[in-house]
């Protein structure tokens, strides 16, 4: 926290303690909404509610947009529906819907009967995490027969709308072309839009997943992308600020999935429900590690005869798991950003090569060190060869499991905890099988 933010925090707390609400309100009126949102994150629950209640509805709406979703829920959950909707009425429909989507289901259901704004109601009718749900209806679309001069005048009058591009439509609201503002002002004032527009418009469908929308915007370096229905009617626009939010949201969601939990646990009051978020993957891990235990039990004679074999089971599991974890993290993130499209086979070969090189280096070092410490070349060879095979196969598993899971319609991020368990089972089986063959049958 910088000096200005610390000073604002201290002033806010001092004025709250004194009950000097009029002075505090004057300070809040001068602060930017983003600064107030930052301030709210440093306050206690009681202090947050006191400050939020001092804000005018318009300022409160701006602050809400800048706040973390956890804090949004905290300040809204005890407010009356009419109060919440009064604040949300000062926001564009897409931003109002974003805030409604952060609320718990029961609170959102309580608000729905009171929503009268047509645009908000329409956006809520689309599935969550689709282009239709995140688009804004405050865009500028002009008829194709309008002249450039008339279009420029229309842009001047459209101060409340998101104007990154000029979208051109026909008489039935079909999207037929697009112009940037720069292109517009450089044209002959008397020319018609249909004669100077670019007819090759990059567009997305209302039911397209928001993650794919983000990829389209990133791929073509757009500031906004138009949203159309199945009949090419222009329905709305997704802007770059929405895309930034989506990228952050999707990355956060993937991180939670990769450790077998959910972002919902941050604001869930019930510790029982928080535990329930994590239990499914822990149960899967428990079963998986039980399988590893059965593998070890199967080879108990080898371990009882050569006790030193057991010393290196954690080594095999740890290094194979590390390689698998590195690979799966790279692959899952590449799939989330769309960089895996058409490259699965190439990436598999590359990761196989990387895993083999690391396995070879680790295997040679392990063979030498184990042989030196245990004075047993066969045990050293068992550890070294097992390490090579386990690290190589782990790199392949780290690619194949996310790829196949996506083809089966399962989010690849969900597979990350399972890959670690698979690597443990695989590494233990290879090592004990090889140790049994070399130490029991050959020695």
């Amino acid at each position: 926290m910088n000096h200005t933010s610390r000073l604002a925090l201290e002033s806010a707390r001092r004025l709250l303690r004194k009950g000097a609400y009029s002075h505090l309100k004057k300070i809040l009126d001068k602060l930017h909404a983003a600064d107030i949102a930052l301030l709210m994150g440093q306050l206690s629950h009681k202090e947050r509610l006191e400050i939020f209640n001092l804000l005018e509805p318009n300022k409160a709406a701006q602050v809400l947009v800048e706040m973390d979703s956890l804090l949004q829920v905290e300040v809204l959950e005890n407010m009356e529906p009419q109060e919440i909707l009064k604040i949300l009425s000062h926001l564009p429909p897409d931003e109002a819907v974003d805030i409604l989507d952060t609320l718990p289901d029961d609170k959102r259901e309580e608000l729905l009967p009171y929503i009268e704004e047509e645009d908000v109601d329409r956006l809520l009718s689309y599935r969550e995490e689709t282009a239709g749900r995140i688009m804004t209806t405050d865009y500028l679309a002009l008829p194709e027969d309008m002249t450039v001069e008339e279009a420029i005048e229309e842009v001047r009058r459209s101060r409340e709308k998101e104007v990154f591009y000029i979208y051109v439509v026909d008489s039935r609201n079909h999207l037929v072309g697009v112009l940037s503002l720069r292109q517009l002002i450089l044209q002959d004032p008397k020319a018609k839009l249909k004669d100077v527009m670019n007819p090759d418009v990059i567009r997305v469908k209302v039911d397209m997943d928001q993650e794919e929308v983000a990829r389209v915007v990133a791929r073509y370096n757009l500031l906004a992308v138009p949203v159309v229905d199945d009949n090419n009617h222009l329905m709305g626009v997704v802007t770059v600020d929405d895309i930034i939010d989506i990228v952050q949201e999707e990355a956060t969601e993937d991180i939670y999935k990769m450790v077998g939990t959910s972002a919902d646990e941050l604001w869930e009051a019930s510790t029982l429900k928080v535990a329930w978020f994590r239990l499914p993957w822990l149960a899967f891990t428990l079963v998986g590690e039980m399988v590893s235990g059965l593998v070890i039990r199967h080879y108990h004679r080898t371990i009882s005869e050569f006790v030193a074999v057991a010393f290196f089971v954690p080594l095999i599991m740890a290094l194979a798991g590390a390689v698998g974890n590195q690979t799966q993290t790279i692959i899952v993130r590449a799939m989330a950003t769309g960089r895996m499209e058409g490259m699965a086979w190439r990436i598999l070969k590359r990761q196989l090569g990387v895993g083999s090189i690391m396995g070879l280096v680790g295997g040679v070092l392990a063979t030498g060190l184990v042989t030196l410490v245990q004075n047993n070349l066969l045990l050293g060879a068992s550890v070294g060869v097992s390490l090579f095979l386990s690290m190589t196969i782990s790199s392949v598993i780290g690619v194949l499991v996310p790829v196949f899971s996506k083809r089966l319609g399962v989010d690849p991020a969900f597979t990350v905890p399972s890959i670690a368990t698979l690597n443990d089972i695989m590494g233990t089986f290879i090592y004990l099988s090889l140790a049994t063959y070399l130490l029991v049958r050959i020695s």
Side-chain angles (χ1 to χ4, degrees):
M1 187 188 298
N2 58 38
H3 176 71
T4 304
S5 299
R6 190 179 297 108
L7 186 61
L9 176 63
E10 291 172 356
S11 299
R13 282 180 167 157
R14 185 175 64 256
L15 292 172
L16 282 173
R17 284 196 301 269
K18 292 180 177 179
Y21 297 117
S22 58
H23 293 293
L24 180 55
K25 189 175 184 305
K26 290 178 182 178
I27 293 175
L28 294 173
D29 288 341
K30 294 178 182 179
L31 285 176
H32 190 280
D35 293 325
I36 298 176
L38 180 64
L39 174 67
M40 298 278 271
Q42 311 299 321
L43 299 171
S44 68
H45 173 70
K46 181 175 179 294
E47 291 169 334
R48 265 194 285 273
L49 296 183
E50 286 183 290
I51 283 189
F52 194 77
N53 289 332
L54 291 174
L55 301 173
E56 296 295 329
N58 182 44
K59 192 65 172 278
Q62 296 172 38
V63 172
L64 268 181
V65 171
E66 300 293 339
M67 287 168 64
D68 180 84
S69 59
L70 178 64
L71 296 182
Q72 289 175 350
V73 172
E74 188 176 316
V75 298
L76 295 179
E77 61 183 351
N78 293 319
M79 292 177 64
E80 293 298 319
Q82 292 88 343
E83 292 179 274
I84 296 175
L85 293 177
K86 183 179 179 181
I87 292 172
L88 297 186
S89 67
H90 292 275
L91 294 175
D94 60 319
E95 292 184 352
V97 169
D98 282 344
I99 292 174
L100 287 172
D101 281 341
T102 66
L103 298 175
D105 292 342
D106 56 343
K107 188 66 178 180
R108 187 162 63 247
E109 292 297 325
E110 183 184 345
L111 287 167
L112 292 181
Y114 298 93
I115 296 176
E116 297 178 356
E117 190 171 345
E118 183 180 343
D119 287 336
V120 172
D121 198 40
R122 181 157 61 89
L123 293 181
L124 286 170
S125 69
Y126 296 109
R127 287 187 299 109
E128 290 188 25
E129 300 187 348
T130 61
R133 192 65 169 245
I134 61 173
M135 69 184 182
T136 178
T137 52
D138 289 333
Y139 60 90
L140 185 61
L142 301 177
E144 59 183 346
D145 290 324
M146 180 178 278
T147 65
V148 169
E149 186 176 29
E150 291 170 334
I152 292 173
E153 187 58 36
E154 191 65 33
V155 170
R156 290 195 181 106
R157 287 196 292 265
S158 303
R159 296 178 181 178
E160 301 300 320
K161 296 182 178 180
E162 300 274 11
V163 184
F164 293 101
Y165 301 101
I166 309 300
Y167 297 105
V168 185
V169 295
D170 63 15
S171 58
R172 292 177 294 174
N173 198 42
H174 291 133
L175 179 63
V176 295
V178 65
L179 278 167
S180 69
L181 290 175
R182 182 178 182 275
Q183 289 170 327
L184 180 68
I185 62 175
L186 292 178
Q187 303 301 326
D188 178 0
K190 301 302 180 184
K192 291 190 175 182
L193 294 182
K194 64 181 178 182
D195 297 323
V196 297
M197 69 184 185
N198 178 9
D200 298 321
V201 188
I202 298 165
R203 68 199 81 191
V204 299
K205 294 286 188 68
V206 288
D207 57 354
M208 179 181 282
D209 185 89
Q210 64 178 20
E211 203 167 351
E212 185 58 35
V213 176
R215 292 192 195 115
V216 170
V217 171
R219 184 181 305 131
Y220 297 103
N221 294 317
L222 302 174
L223 295 175
V225 63
V227 182
V228 298
D229 64 11
D230 291 335
N231 296 314
N232 196 38
H233 293 120
L234 183 58
M235 307 299 291
V237 173
V238 177
T239 56
V240 70
D241 56 327
D242 296 317
I243 296 301
I244 293 171
D245 292 338
I246 291 167
V247 171
Q248 184 177 20
E249 176 188 324
E250 294 289 347
T252 302
E253 186 179 308
D254 284 348
I255 289 170
Y256 283 117
K257 288 177 181 176
M258 288 169 70
V259 294
T261 186
S262 164
D264 292 342
E265 75 165 63
L266 288 175
W267 55 266
E268 178 57 60
S270 169
T271 53
L272 185 62
K273 287 187 178 179
V274 171
W276 184 251
F277 289 138
R278 304 188 189 187
L279 279 173
W281 277 120
L282 293 179
F284 179 88
T285 303
L286 174 64
V287 173
E289 295 305 330
M290 286 292 291
V291 174
S292 294
L294 292 174
V295 172
I296 294 173
R297 182 174 179 271
H298 179 73
Y299 291 101
H300 70 279
R301 290 182 181 176
T302 302
I303 295 173
S304 61
E305 189 171 345
F306 298 93
V307 178
V309 168
F311 299 166
F312 303 102
V313 171
L315 171 69
I316 304 294
M317 294 170 68
L319 290 181
V323 172
N325 189 46
Q326 291 171 337
T327 304
Q328 70 200 14
T329 301
I330 292 168
I331 299 304
V332 169
R333 193 61 196 143
M335 295 176 83
T337 55
R339 296 179 181 178
M340 278 282 289
E341 294 178 11
M343 296 182 63
W345 177 243
R346 179 181 172 187
I347 290 176
L348 175 61
K349 290 193 293 184
R350 181 180 180 84
Q351 291 302 320
L352 178 60
V354 171
S356 299
I357 292 170
M358 292 192 296
L360 182 62
V361 173
V364 169
L365 288 173
T367 299
L369 290 172
V370 173
T371 301
L372 182 64
V373 172
Q374 296 295 326
N375 194 28
N376 188 328
L377 179 59
L378 289 177
L379 179 57
S382 299
V383 175
V385 174
S386 298
L387 202 53
F388 167 73
L389 292 174
S390 299
M391 292 173 74
T392 303
I393 295 172
S394 290
S395 64
V396 174
I397 291 175
V399 176
L400 292 182
V401 172
V403 168
F404 283 123
S405 70
K406 186 171 185 180
R407 290 186 179 180
L408 293 172
V410 178
D411 191 327
F414 273 125
T415 65
V416 172
S418 66
I419 293 175
T421 305
L422 288 174
N423 285 334
D424 286 349
I425 297 171
M426 178 269 303
T428 304
F429 176 75
I430 289 175
Y431 173 51
L432 293 179
S433 298
L434 192 58
T436 299
Y437 179 78
L438 293 178
L439 295 173
V440 176
R441 297 187 181 180
I442 293 180
S443 63

